[in-house]
Amino acid sequence: MRFYRTTLLILAACLAVSACKKKEEAAPPPAPAVEVSTAPAVETPPAAVPFHVLAVDLGKGLGADKKVTDPTTTFGPKDTIYASVASEGTASGVTLRAKWTYGDAGTVVHDENLSISPTGPANTEFQISKPTPWPAGKYKVEISADGATVASKDFEIQK
Amino acid sequence: MASNDEKPDFSDVEGGASSTAPLAEPAAQTYTVVSGDSLSKIAKKHYGDANKWRRIFEANRDLIKDPDEIYPGQTLKIPSE
């Protein structure tokens, strides 16, 4: 009987020690410290895009959005010729110039300036017309912005 | 024999410009003389009155010595009315 009690006590002690060990093993590792920024999020405004010309289109008609409605590079002797300059970007002031010339000698047909203050995408149109018929031949319109040529388009007037 | 086609007259060409962008403060307007132009024609184009040619002449005294002698390619200042 005494032997039996002693065995029970030893067994109980072993179980207790084992349980404690398991508990220690089961303890989860401490969570890593997470750094939380307290600085407020600052929204960076989008950088202003500098003004630049995207494209120049020629046509016989013009829409309310200043884009050509009948794009072509061949015109008749009584047509009005429109050049639409698509641009994007901002500028406090930029002078667009359309210089229309005729023939290989570059005879000046018309020269027009327009100063604009674009705040984003824009269309600027230049146009020329002539009460008397246009001489047939090859023409060119050269577009410049603040004196720097940015595009040119050749076109033809046929009889 | 020279043909008249070699020197076409573009003095009656009418031009214009407009934009979807806001217009900037108007800079001093200029005009490039084309073949067939005279100060009267330029005044008629810009002011609607050929008799105002003297206004252009006075603004360009540094370029124009004789009001009857202007040349294609000259860039003239066009004073506002």
Side-chain angles (χ1 to χ4, degrees):
Chain A
M1 188 73 179
R2 195 174 177 185
F3 171 76
Y4 181 69
R5 198 184 294 167
T6 307
T7 308
L8 272 178
L9 280 173
I10 292 169
L11 194 63
C14 281
L15 280 174
V17 168
S18 171
C20 282
K21 267 194 177 173
K22 264 190 183 173
K23 242 184 189 176
E24 277 172 14
E25 282 171 8
V34 177
E35 280 184 24
V36 178
S37 172
T38 53
V42 178
E43 277 190 28
T44 311
V49 178
F51 174 85
H52 60 281
V53 169
L54 297 172
V56 177
D57 293 312
L58 300 179
K60 294 180 183 179
L62 191 74
D65 57 359
K66 312 290 183 193
K67 289 183 180 175
V68 292
T69 54
D70 189 3
T72 184
T73 54
T74 305
F75 298 85
K78 291 183 178 175
D79 285 337
T80 294
I81 297 126
Y82 296 93
S84 177
V85 181
S87 63
E88 67 176 10
T90 61
S92 57
V94 59
T95 299
L96 286 176
R97 177 187 184 196
K99 186 179 178 186
W100 305 82
T101 55
Y102 166 79
D104 293 334
T107 304
V108 177
V109 171
H110 189 73
D111 201 339
E112 188 91 32
N113 292 314
L114 189 69
S115 295
I116 58 173
S117 296
T119 54
N123 292 307
T124 303
E125 62 86 15
F126 295 92
Q127 57 180 281
I128 52 170
S129 59
K130 199 172 185 298
T132 54
W134 290 107
K138 293 189 184 302
Y139 292 73
K140 184 164 94 171
V141 61
E142 192 176 277
I143 304 296
S144 59
D146 285 341
T149 302
V150 290
S152 72
K153 283 271 179 177
D154 294 318
F155 61 98
E156 188 171 5
I157 292 181
Q158 294 180 341
K159 283 186 180 175
Chain B
M1 191 171 180
S3 162
N4 284 339
D5 290 342
E6 288 175 12
K7 288 214 169 187
D9 180 7
F10 292 112
S11 64
D12 61 345
V13 171
E14 294 165 357
S18 61
S19 180
T20 57
L23 297 184
E25 289 292 315
Q29 196 176 0
T30 59
Y31 175 79
T32 304
V33 178
V34 299
S35 176
D37 267 342
S38 66
L39 288 183
S40 300
K41 282 184 178 178
I42 298 169
K44 174 78 175 167
K45 263 185 194 175
H46 287 87
Y47 304 135
D49 184 353
N51 293 321
K52 292 185 176 174
W53 64 268
R54 186 171 288 279
R55 189 188 297 265
I56 299 170
F57 177 55
E58 293 297 338
N60 294 277
R61 289 298 289 262
D62 54 330
L63 285 174
I64 307 171
K65 304 300 172 207
D66 181 337
D68 291 326
E69 289 185 11
I70 58 173
Y71 303 99
Q74 277 183 315
T75 300
L76 305 181
K77 294 183 280 291
I78 307 294
S80 56
E81 282 196 273

